[in-house]
Amino acid sequence: MTHQPDSALLTTSITTTVDDIHVCTIRGEIDIRTAPMFRKAVFDSLSIGGTTVIDMTAVTFFGVAGICAMIEALDFAHRRQCELCVEGAHCVTRILEVVGLAEAFDICE
């Protein structure tokens, strides 16, 4: 079964601040259909290098596929020696806490 990304459920954007911090903004639902789109946006941001903040404050659903993409992103960031910070909505930070991954990520406040 192939799941096509659904841009109606998820939007992404990447901007760079004057301090050279890359902000990957994610809005909507992260599930099996939208996780590839989420993963691509995060990896594109991390590929630039330096510091990336994943702004997930407008995420309304965060499923298992999103958790898998986050673990892959953390591994990719470590290999590239990039800093990765997550700013998440309650549905994101709570899931990371429940599955024991909150300590693995730098959670922005």
Side-chain angles (χ1 to χ4, degrees), residues 10-93:
L10 186 76
T11 61
T12 65
S13 65
I14 300 171
T15 56
T16 303
T17 69
V18 294
D19 298 331
D20 226 20
I21 296 172
H22 313 294
V23 180
C24 181
T25 303
I26 311 295
R27 291 182 178 88
E29 301 176 7
I30 303 172
D31 60 17
I32 196 161
R33 292 172 296 170
T34 59
M37 188 175 171
F38 167 64
R39 184 184 182 282
K40 181 180 180 337
V42 172
F43 274 60
D44 286 351
S45 184
L46 287 168
S47 293
I48 299 169
T51 300
T52 291
V53 174
I54 307 174
D55 178 356
M56 300 174 72
T57 56
V59 169
T60 56
F61 178 82
F62 187 61
V64 173
I67 295 168
C68 293
M70 291 286 290
I71 293 168
E72 292 172 359
L74 184 62
D75 181 59
F76 186 70
H78 284 269
R79 285 186 282 123
R80 291 194 43 91
Q81 298 180 340
C82 298
E83 291 183 50
L84 176 63
C85 180
V86 177
E87 185 176 10
H90 179 74
C91 67
V92 173
T93 57

